Amino acid sequence: MRIDPHSYTDDRHAHVRSLAWEARVDFATSTLHATATLQFDAPSAGPLDLDTRGLDVATVTDDRGRTVAFVVHPVDAILGSRLALVLGEGTRAVIIAYRTAADASALQWLDPAQTAGGAHPYLFSQCQAIHARSVVPLQDTPQRRITFTAALTVPTALRGLMAAAFDGREERGDVAVERWHMPQPIAPYLFAFAVGELASRELGARSRVWAEPSVVDGAAWEFAEVDGMLAAGESLFGPYAWDRFDILVMPPSFPYGGMENPRLTFVTPTLLAGDRSQVRVIAHELAHAWSGNLVTNAHAEHFWLNEGWTRYAELRMVEVLEGPDTAALVAAICRKDLDETIARFIAEGHGGLTRLHTHLEGIDPDEAFSVVPYDKGELFLRTIEGAVGRERFDGFARRYLETFRFGAVTTEGFLEFTERELPGVLASIDAPRWIDGEGLPGNAPVAHAARLDAVIALGAALPAADTNLSTTEWNLWLERLARPQPAAFCEALDERFGFTSTGNIEVKVAWLRLALASAYDAVLPEVVRVLGAVGRMKYVVPLYSALLARPETRNLAREAFASNAAGYHPIARAVVRGRIERASAVTE
Ligand code: BES
Ligand code: ZN
């Protein structure tokens, strides 16, 4: 039987336990020439279904040198192609020789012009949710963890990095072979690497930051507080299990704020605001070292167990590092975003996506992605915390991590565990309404803090010229303003605070969204510039959506996409294309 709606993994088949991966990085053709040796947990025989997407499989042999029969099945738009093998008796491993597609969905191949340095190409992977299969043939479900070894052959001028322990580099003329191993078993979505012109700076005993040389000093300053975060994480959730916590600053097209690849978190360069205002993203990715990388969701329908727990942990870390007032401000922003997302989903007939436990058969997890699993999940956990008190909740959280360590959990598994540990609590908070109900239950807690009240007290009038708010406060104030606002108000606001030209992209995008929703078209050139300069979906998707929402700016969205699409990561490209197609279907 299949065990994950987004994988061909079948629980009657052999169980892949480890991977030995060798790949030659070919920038000329945007291809990886690779072999994957998949080792089973026991000698196996019979059918084995693997996940692939766009892989060109040349040969499959087994550990005894026998040829293994295989069929690459026709492409399913969401799942990719099932690679069906038939194993001979007593097979311990299969060796698959293959090439990746030039448009592999996990990979972005950047021209030198798309990097900060401008001299060398760059390659990176982003495997969550179901893109690992476009890089390695695997049982691509979080329920099949693997350890691995890897050898990457890269041009000598470049260096490779992997979310794994580094074993060394050997130069052979114009190429170099670099090796890694990953001793802790990981879910396939955490398989990650990058190749480029990269330099590093030490941050602390367990961490360093990597980036292109021109960016690395700024990055070292921005993330200097990472040791304190590790300490905060360990004090809350127990020892850090992954030895190192390094950070890699990606090129601007990285589609996410951060990605919790074990030992090497990938982050967008938009975090380099020069004021440490976005280190919360680092706290979030670090929190995944416990919630997610140690205990993950069984599949995408239980994604709230991954991101909901992590948002909860992130806010607890913010509370330790910056105090309860800042944590409450952040919670208020999250709540605003959650309320809007829920309202939009319900208005668009996607109420099902506002449940914690979703039903995603036939739905691409990238399409279903939203803040609901993050923030509704966080509020559900906080409701449990409110019912039992923080001390009991903290013990519960620690035992949860201990019990499911290096495992994958379903919503049912979580509920059973909770009932055992905290009998009666689920009934007392009407958990079924949270899990299977749409929208947000009435007993969701509301954040309170003096600074939050102060931002709310500013109201909707033009703030005094000497108003000095933090990134989080400006963001919240801008988000709370009704829209549309009169053009005169937008003009006065921008003149006074210079939002269009601020270097802080978090504030800038909140402002641009307000301006677009207010048809204040003076910002259009800056919107177009941002769409060409960054690929982080949190910024580009809402900006495209705002342009598409008005007939007058719809063409501008199409034009901007036409000129920028090639520079976006394949995942971002697909998501934006989806929005544009839907907007066109509504109007034409
Ligand atoms: N794991 C996610 C990013 C992700 C989710 C990638 C789903 C692919 C599919 C990461 O931990 C995350 O949530 N990043 C956020 C940052 C944050 C502070 C909430 C982001 O990218 O904005
Ligand atoms: Zn996350």
Side-chain angles (χ1 to χ4, degrees):
M1 231 184 44
R2 276 176 48 194
I3 57 174
D4 178 334
H6 298 113
S7 170
Y8 287 110
T9 303
D10 188 314
D11 61 3
R12 295 163 301 189
H13 297 178
H15 191 143
V16 177
R17 186 46 71 74
S18 70
L19 160 73
W21 190 58
E22 291 185 18
R24 180 166 62 80
V25 178
D26 183 358
F27 280 102
T29 60
S30 302
T31 309
L32 299 175
H33 302 260
T35 61
T37 302
L38 308 180
Q39 194 112 31
F40 306 120
D41 60 346
S44 303
L48 170 65
D49 289 342
L50 298 173
D51 295 300
T52 71
R53 180 182 285 133
L55 300 185
D56 182 4
V57 178
T59 61
V60 185
T61 52
D62 70 13
D63 53 297
R64 297 194 218 161
R66 297 176 294 192
T67 297
V68 176
F70 70 89
V71 179
V72 179
H73 284 266
V75 185
D76 174 279
I78 295 170
L79 296 179
S81 304
R82 177 159 65 100
L83 170 59
L85 311 182
V86 181
L87 310 179
E89 280 309 314
T91 303
R92 289 168 190 280
V94 290
I95 301 116
I96 304 170
Y98 67 97
R99 270 183 326 188
T100 57
D103 62 352
S105 60
L107 300 180
Q108 190 171 13
W109 299 82
L110 299 173
D111 295 332
Q114 294 170 280
T115 66
H120 295 283
Y122 196 107
L123 165 66
F124 70 89
S125 68
Q126 165 56 46
C127 287
Q128 196 180 14
I130 54 168
H131 303 286
R133 65 195 63 179
S134 73
V135 177
V136 194
L138 274 177
Q139 293 174 313
D140 190 6
T141 168
Q143 290 169 76
R144 289 286 185 268
R145 284 180 181 253
I146 50 164
T147 57
F148 66 83
T149 60
L152 270 185
T153 302
V154 303
T156 303
L158 304 183
R159 93 159 276 160
L161 288 177
M162 269 198 102
F166 183 54
D167 290 327
R169 168 178 168 116
E170 202 185 306
E171 296 192 357
R172 302 178 185 161
D174 55 1
V175 297
V177 180
E178 304 191 335
R179 293 176 196 281
W180 296 265
H181 72 283
M182 178 48 109
Q184 292 95 344
I186 61 155
Y189 74 86
L190 295 171
F191 190 76
F193 60 94
V195 182
E197 190 192 2
L198 294 163
S200 70
R201 297 285 181 272
E202 299 299 311
L203 297 175
R206 286 184 276 180
S207 52
R208 68 174 65 94
V209 63
W210 291 90
E212 287 192 66
S214 65
V215 180
V216 74
D217 286 316
W221 184 85
E222 202 84 26
F223 305 138
E225 294 158 349
V226 69
D227 259 11
M229 289 188 181
L230 269 162
E234 291 193 310
S235 73
L236 289 165
F237 310 113
Y240 182 73
W242 306 90
D243 305 325
R244 293 196 57 86
F245 182 71
D246 295 335
I247 299 170
L248 171 60
V249 180
M250 307 300 287
S253 62
F254 188 61
Y256 293 99
M259 179 65 215
E260 66 272 25
N261 298 315
R263 289 167 190 256
L264 184 66
T265 279
F266 288 16
V267 298
T268 166
T270 62
L271 299 194
L272 306 180
D275 58 8
R276 297 189 183 158
S277 60
Q278 300 203 59
V279 291
R280 185 162 72 82
V281 176
I282 305 289
H284 178 96
E285 305 316 330
L286 173 59
H288 274 299
W290 292 270
S291 51
N293 299 6
L294 212 48
V295 179
T296 193
N297 48 236
H299 57 72
E301 294 180 351
H302 311 288
F303 189 48
W304 78 272
L305 282 169
N306 196 327
E307 294 296 351
W309 267 111
T310 302
R311 176 75 88 199
Y312 176 83
E314 168 196 337
L315 291 176
R316 288 290 299 272
M317 269 201 251
V318 171
E319 194 183 311
V320 171
L321 296 166
E322 297 178 53
D325 248 30
T326 304
L329 266 180
V330 173
I333 292 190
C334 293
R335 176 61 182 266
K336 187 91 185 60
D337 202 1
L338 176 63
D339 287 343
E340 275 166 19
T341 303
I342 287 176
R344 183 169 46 81
F345 273 154
I346 288 175
E348 289 172 355
H350 296 303
L353 292 177
T354 69
R355 302 176 186 196
L356 282 183
H357 183 182
T358 51
H359 300 284
L360 299 179
E361 185 85 50
I363 300 177
D364 186 331
D366 288 340
E367 286 291 326
F369 180 83
S370 80
V371 298
V372 171
Y374 290 72
D375 294 299
K376 188 178 176 186
E378 189 271 336
L379 288 170
F380 177 53
L381 294 170
R382 211 163 269 276
T383 304
I384 298 178
E385 183 197 323
V388 301
R390 178 161 279 190
E391 211 180 302
R392 277 184 79 199
F393 187 85
D394 284 356
F396 161 76
R398 288 229 185 191
R399 283 191 298 282
Y400 171 72
L401 293 170
E402 195 51 50
T403 305
F404 298 105
R405 202 176 156 80
F406 292 112
V409 188
T410 60
T411 302
E412 298 73 41
F414 170 83
L415 294 174
E416 276 167 32
F417 178 80
T418 306
E419 187 54 30
R420 235 182 6 255
E421 290 284 326
L422 303 170
V425 71
L426 294 173
S428 81
I429 62 165
D430 196 5
R433 167 93 182 75
W434 280 90
I435 299 292
D436 296 313
E438 298 187 358
L440 197 60
N443 61 344
V446 179
H448 292 290
R451 281 175 66 201
L452 179 54
D453 296 341
V455 173
I456 294 170
L458 284 176
L462 188 66
D466 60 354
T467 306
N468 188 12
L469 301 186
S470 70
T471 298
T472 315
E473 289 163 328
W474 272 128
N475 205 325
L476 182 64
W477 184 78
L478 287 164
E479 294 282 347
R480 286 178 57 90
L481 284 179
R483 37 216 74 192
Q485 289 289 332
F489 178 81
C490 291
E491 194 179 344
L493 192 59
D494 199 23
E495 197 180 291
R496 189 163 282 187
F497 299 106
F499 291 140
T500 303
S501 54
T502 174
N504 186 321
I505 192 157
E506 190 78 9
V507 174
K508 178 185 304 222
V509 172
W511 152 249
L512 294 176
R513 291 172 65 186
L514 170 74
L516 288 175
S518 306
Y520 179 64
D521 289 344
V523 300
L524 288 175
E526 182 59 15
V527 171
V528 169
R529 197 197 62 78
V530 171
L531 293 176
V534 305
R536 183 177 177 187
M537 287 196 282
K538 178 184 175 189
Y539 301 137
V540 300
V541 173
L543 289 178
Y544 276 109
S545 295
L547 289 175
L548 290 167
R550 265 177 67 219
E552 296 81 2
T553 49
R554 212 160 278 156
N555 253 329
L556 194 61
R558 294 198 188 100
E559 285 164 21
F561 183 65
S563 55
N564 297 324
Y568 293 151
H569 187 279
I571 297 172
R573 202 182 301 147
V575 169
V576 176
R577 183 179 292 122
R579 300 286 164 120
I580 289 179
E581 280 167 6
R582 253 172 288 148
S584 307
V586 172
T587 52
E588 278 145 26

